[in-house]
Amino acid sequence: MENIKKTIKQLESQLEDYQLFFNSFYNGAIVTDINGIITHLNEPYSNFLKVNANECIGKHCTEVVENTRMHIVAQTGIPEINHTHLIRGQNIVVHRIPVKKRGEIYAVFGIVMFQDVRDVAKLAKKTSFLEQKVEIYEQELRLLRSTKYTIDSIIGSSKVMLSLKKEALRATSNNLPVLIKGESGTGKELFAQGIHHGSPRNLYSFVRINCAAIPQNLLESELFGYEKGAFTGAGPKGKPGKFEIANKGTIFLDEIGDLPLEMQPKLLRVLEEKEFERIGGNKLIKSDFRLIAATNRDLEEMVSTNQFREDLYYRLNVIELNIPPLRQRKKDIIPIAEHILNQMSPDMFSYKINLDSEVKKALKNYNWNGNVRELSNVIERALASIEGDKIRLHHLPFKIFSQKNTNTNKGTLLKEIIDIAEKNAIIHSLSETKNNKAQAADMLGIHRTQLYKKMDKLNISLKDNE
């Protein structure tokens, strides 16, 4: 027993020594577990962050350190050495190093590369690209250009979506081109913004260009810019192109499959050389950009029919994300619908709006050819016609609930369609007559007794119209 007490006392003494050493670092230091939960935070770092070190233990690193990537390094296992990190308005240099035990990551060690907390401002002035290159207002402009969606913003718990989010997370730690494939409305730009936001480029521009929306004769000037007087109608000062604006940031080429064939070799050269000339200019412009492209077309089929260059396709398709349509991931429909509802309803109502159980069934059974974009439209339309605090079946467009049994192989029953139509008509007439049943019956062209029977049969109460 005496030996055990002695051993415990020795261990406690060692722990005190380790904590003393940790707090004696001139550099700010932090340790998290594989889930991003803080296990150690030394005093120099807590003083700089203006937090209580003990109170931070057990919290997620994103709650304590702004713009942190400790949790991302824990998941990717890729160390980040000499990365710039914006904290409390200062650009500082940090290391984030995964710690392994028996070949498995079990923690991440982060250290801020400065000798003393009081020297942070001096070091930041030397290392900050923004303060060396431009005045302070440009930093604010870059922050305004930053994306608003992160990978965590992507709603979906289906197996395929969890896998896609994991792949997107891995893509944040490198600069390789990404090609996102999927039908219109599946959320391709959401993934693109999430990758940009989670990458070290997130303080710089996310530049989006829709290759299908810009006239062919203007596309080259949009991409590469032009010098003054380059062509009739050109601006007197010239104009930078999207690739120039995207320097140190990300350029997102949406609908890349609609890029004209004659523009494709020019794009390929820019991707390979990272340099170009403005239209009417003779000066080479270098741009350090990360490319993300998206398409709803089958590029491989287009390559086989000579509609898309094979060399460009392979240059784009380094990291590939295939987003399945909503109908192939039924598990995600209701969570996405409720997320959309929670985003929209506070602007229109002071109380929480819910989905009726029959509405949930109808939404899950509908095919959603327009994917999340169509789902968002249906929720918005339902909110515009809602009575009370719940979206019910009759608030949905007819095509949604008339299809509710198509995926269960039971067929759509004519009686159900008639009942729904009658219910909608009765509720509308009661609303128009301010719940006067006699006037409502006259409006419908039926006897008041018949109206009572139908209301009872269809389970309609005056509350439905309040």
Side-chain angles (χ1 to χ4, degrees):
M1 189 70 180
E2 201 62 31
N3 288 336
I4 295 175
K5 288 182 178 179
K6 187 177 180 180
T7 302
I8 292 174
K9 193 170 182 179
Q10 288 175 341
L11 290 173
E12 289 176 344
S13 177
Q14 287 179 354
L15 285 173
E16 282 184 15
D17 289 344
Y18 293 152
Q19 189 62 45
L20 180 63
F21 298 152
F22 193 60
N23 286 328
S24 297
F25 287 172
Y26 282 110
N27 307 63
I30 184 173
V31 179
T32 69
D33 66 13
I34 58 172
N35 296 313
I37 303 301
I38 297 173
T39 58
H40 299 80
L41 182 71
N42 73 352
E43 288 180 359
Y45 204 19
S46 64
N47 290 338
F48 173 62
L49 295 172
K50 298 191 184 304
V51 296
N52 184 297
N54 292 329
E55 291 178 358
C56 294
I57 305 302
K59 291 185 178 181
H60 196 270
C61 57
T62 55
E63 298 180 56
V64 178
V65 184
E66 63 182 307
N67 302 315
T68 183
R69 288 176 53 82
M70 295 285 286
H71 58 304
I72 294 176
V73 171
Q75 295 185 49
T76 63
I78 301 172
E80 296 182 349
I81 307 298
N82 290 329
H83 276 226
T84 56
H85 188 161
L86 184 68
I87 303 179
R88 300 181 59 80
Q90 300 290 343
N91 265 326
I92 59 178
V93 179
V94 300
H95 293 345
R96 304 182 187 98
I97 305 167
V99 182
K100 295 185 179 181
K101 180 190 286 186
R102 299 185 202 67
E104 297 290 331
I105 298 171
Y106 82 101
V108 177
F109 175 68
I111 186 165
V112 181
M113 301 308 295
F114 54 87
Q115 289 184 333
D116 189 272
V117 173
R118 291 168 295 182
D119 295 331
V120 176
K122 296 177 184 177
L123 181 61
K125 288 179 181 178
K126 295 178 183 177
T127 60
S128 171
F129 170 81
L130 293 175
E131 291 180 351
Q132 289 176 349
K133 183 87 173 179
V134 294
E135 296 178 358
I136 193 67
Y137 75 88
E138 280 200 287
Q139 181 179 355
E140 297 175 1
L141 179 60
R142 291 187 189 280
L143 292 173
L144 287 172
R145 286 173 174 169
S146 183
T147 52
K148 63 178 180 178
Y149 296 113
T150 68
I151 292 174
D152 290 335
S153 303
I154 302 169
I155 307 301
S157 57
S158 61
K159 186 176 180 180
V160 65
M161 288 302 288
L162 291 177
S163 176
L164 278 171
K165 286 195 278 187
K166 191 172 182 180
E167 289 180 48
L169 189 63
R170 282 199 293 266
T172 64
S173 62
N174 59 60
N175 287 310
L176 298 173
V178 179
L179 179 61
I180 306 174
K181 299 179 179 180
E183 293 181 5
S184 179
T186 51
K188 297 187 290 295
E189 184 171 351
L190 204 63
F191 272 90
Q193 289 198 24
I195 292 171
H196 171 78
H197 196 283
S199 76
R201 296 175 177 268
N202 63 359
L203 289 182
Y204 299 90
S205 301
F206 177 85
V207 181
R208 179 185 182 276
I209 185 165
N210 190 318
C211 298
I214 298 176
Q216 184 173 332
N217 60 331
L218 296 179
L219 187 58
E220 187 172 0
S221 63
E222 282 292 319
L223 290 176
F224 309 129
Y226 58 83
E227 297 291 353
K228 61 179 182 179
F231 50 84
T232 303
K237 296 182 180 180
K239 180 183 177 183
K242 301 297 186 184
F243 281 104
E244 193 172 341
I245 296 171
N247 184 37
K248 296 192 177 294
T250 301
I251 188 164
F252 176 53
L253 298 182
D254 200 6
E255 307 297 352
I256 190 70
D258 293 290
L259 188 71
L261 199 58
E262 57 270 25
M263 276 296 300
Q264 294 178 22
K266 297 178 182 179
L267 174 61
L268 179 63
R269 181 181 178 278
V270 174
L271 297 184
E272 291 178 339
E273 305 296 334
K274 293 292 182 76
E275 60 183 27
F276 52 90
E277 293 178 358
R278 288 185 180 184
I279 295 176
N282 53 18
K283 178 184 175 183
L284 273 180
I285 298 172
K286 292 185 178 293
S287 180
D288 173 25
F289 58 86
R290 201 262 177 88
L291 177 79
I292 302 178
T295 183
N296 60 6
R297 303 182 68 178
D298 187 343
L299 293 188
E300 290 186 4
E301 175 65 25
M302 293 179 68
V303 168
S304 66
T305 56
N306 297 319
Q307 298 178 65
F308 201 87
R309 289 180 62 104
E310 185 176 18
D311 48 5
L312 177 57
Y313 173 69
Y314 290 121
R315 192 70 184 82
L316 295 170
N317 194 23
V318 179
I319 298 175
E320 182 179 304
L321 299 179
N322 281 291
I323 307 175
L326 202 52
R327 60 184 173 276
Q328 292 180 12
R329 44 189 176 100
K330 298 286 187 180
K331 186 178 179 181
D332 296 333
I333 292 176
I334 301 307
I336 292 174
E338 290 177 336
H339 176 73
I340 294 170
L341 185 62
N342 291 336
Q343 281 188 319
M344 291 182 177
S345 57
D347 294 333
M348 303 172 65
F349 304 94
S350 59
Y351 47 87
K352 183 175 176 59
I353 306 297
N354 297 301
L355 298 173
D356 182 72
S357 59
E358 288 298 314
V359 168
K360 291 182 179 180
K361 290 179 185 177
L363 295 179
K364 286 185 71 173
N365 287 328
Y366 184 64
N367 275 332
W368 300 111
N369 293 325
N371 293 295
V372 179
R373 192 173 290 125
E374 183 183 7
L375 177 58
S376 179
N377 174 263
V378 167
I379 297 298
E380 191 170 16
R381 289 175 61 183
L383 285 174
S385 60
I386 192 175
E387 310 99 1
D389 62 354
K390 187 170 285 190
I391 294 179
R392 302 184 187 279
L393 208 57
H394 62 273
H395 296 131
L396 302 180
F398 178 75
K399 64 178 182 178
I400 305 295
F401 56 72
S402 66
Q403 191 182 311
K404 67 178 182 176
N405 290 317
T406 55
N407 293 335
T408 58
N409 296 321
K410 294 181 179 179
T412 301
L413 300 179
L414 179 61
K415 182 177 180 301
E416 290 184 359
I417 297 174
I418 294 172
D419 286 348
I420 291 169
E422 283 190 343
K423 186 171 184 177
N424 286 341
I426 291 171
I427 291 174
H428 176 72
S429 63
L430 288 169
S431 174
E432 290 293 311
T433 60
K434 296 182 179 179
N435 292 332
N436 187 309
K437 294 179 182 177
Q439 292 180 13
D442 288 340
M443 181 182 291
L444 293 167
I446 59 177
H447 194 274
R448 187 168 57 182
T449 305
Q450 190 177 2
L451 175 62
Y452 294 156
K453 289 181 179 179
K454 287 186 178 291
M455 288 178 65
D456 184 59
K457 173 189 171 185
L458 298 173
N459 195 27
I460 300 173
S461 66
L462 293 182
K463 289 182 179 179
D464 291 328
N465 196 46
E466 292 177 354

